[in-house]
Amino acid sequence: MLKNYDELSPIAIDCLQEVGNIGSGNAASSLSAMLSKPVIMHVPKVQVLDYQSVINEMGGPEKVLTAILVTFKGDIKGMMMFLLEDAFAQIVVKTFMGKDNIDVIKMDETDSSAVKEMGNIMAGAYLSALAAMAEFTVAMDPPSLTVDMMGALMSAPMTTLNDVGDKVLFIDDGFKIDNVNVDANIILVPEMESLEILMKKLGVN
């Protein structure tokens, strides 16, 4: 029985890397269809990191980001959080609302809803890829959107699932839209029992 993410073998990490590749590809396709423009996804990198390392990777505790949090349930349970830089919200709001140079901290309800829906579509595409690979059924709860400093945003995974210790699966991801590189990193926190079931289903001991 896995006790924490540190016990994942290199083969298991490689397997999660492949899940990340397929999930990112699905997310890019869905995002491209909604924005009606090409979206080029970067090759993701999966790491097991502690909370402070994630904060450092994202630019420090005071870096302001847009976070879209999704919890999932079904054959596997857990949460995932997309961490999106300012450029993502700018592109979405400009595409759908025709607004330039918005202040993401002061987005109105309509702007926030558009950004949240894009995150919801990306998360759905990602989880659908995971479910298809493992032949699982996975359902998502409605997403929540928060714009805040990175240090505050990390309180969600720290308190939502405290049975996995101080580590998370960090997927270093991103994409290019309109020749603009957009970081779109993902924190994936499946419950340990769910992660073990997933590994077995994918043939990894």
Side-chain angles (χ1 to χ4, degrees), residues 8 10 12 15-19 26 49 57 64 66 70 78 85 90 95 98 119-120 135 152 154-155 157 162 183 186:
L8 288 169
C15 182
L16 291 170
Q17 181 82 40
E18 183 59 24
V19 171
N26 279 13
L49 298 178
E57 285 278 339
V64 175
T66 299
V70 175
E85 290 198 331
Q90 298 286 352
T95 299
N120 188 38
E135 299 180 342
M154 281 303 293
S155 64
N162 56 18
D183 284 338
I186 301 168

Side-chain angles (χ1 to χ4, degrees), residues 27 31 35 39 66 68 82-96 102 104 107 112 114-122 145 175 177 180-184:
L31 195 58
L35 295 174
V39 175
T66 299
I68 298 172
F82 279 87
L83 297 169
L84 303 159
E85 290 198 331
D86 181 82
F88 179 82
Q90 298 286 352
I91 290 169
V92 170
V93 174
K94 181 178 182 179
T95 299
F96 291 103
I102 62 165
V104 294
M107 284 191 295
S112 295
V115 176
K116 186 190 298 183
E117 181 58 22
M118 289 301 97
N120 188 38
I121 290 168
M122 291 168 63
L145 182 147
F175 44 84
I177 306 174
V180 175
N181 286 312
V182 180
D183 284 338

Side-chain angles (χ1 to χ4, degrees), residues 56-194:
N56 293 340
E57 285 278 339
M58 295 305 302
E62 297 184 356
K63 177 72 176 289
V64 175
L65 295 167
T66 299
I68 298 172
L69 179 66
V70 175
T71 57
F72 54 91
K73 55 193 174 185
D75 292 333
I76 56 173
K77 302 175 183 178
M79 61 152 284
M80 68 188 306
M81 185 165 66
F82 279 87
L83 297 169
L84 303 159
E85 290 198 331
D86 181 82
F88 179 82
Q90 298 286 352
I91 290 169
V92 170
V93 174
K94 181 178 182 179
T95 299
F96 291 103
M97 307 300 165
K99 299 178 183 179
D100 286 311
N101 300 317
I102 62 165
D103 185 340
V104 294
I105 298 177
K106 299 178 180 179
M107 284 191 295
D108 61 29
E109 186 175 347
T110 304
D111 296 342
S112 295
S113 294
V115 176
K116 186 190 298 183
E117 181 58 22
M118 289 301 97
N120 188 38
I121 290 168
M122 291 168 63
Y126 209 100
L127 289 173
S128 293
L130 177 61
M133 284 185 69
E135 299 180 342
F136 277 158
T137 298
V138 180
M140 289 170 39
D141 290 330
S144 62
L145 182 147
T146 305
V147 180
D148 207 336
M149 291 187 292
M150 188 61 200
L153 293 175
M154 281 303 293
S155 64
M158 290 173 68
T159 57
T160 302
L161 294 171
N162 56 18
D163 66 328
V164 298
D166 65 345
K167 302 291 177 68
V168 297
L169 296 172
F170 180 72
I171 303 172
D172 188 358
D173 210 341
F175 44 84
K176 181 181 285 188
I177 306 174
D178 291 340
N179 291 318
V180 175
N181 286 312
V182 180
D183 284 338
N185 297 288
I186 301 168
I187 295 172
L188 182 61
V189 191
E191 293 182 357
M192 292 309 304
E193 183 179 358
S194 294

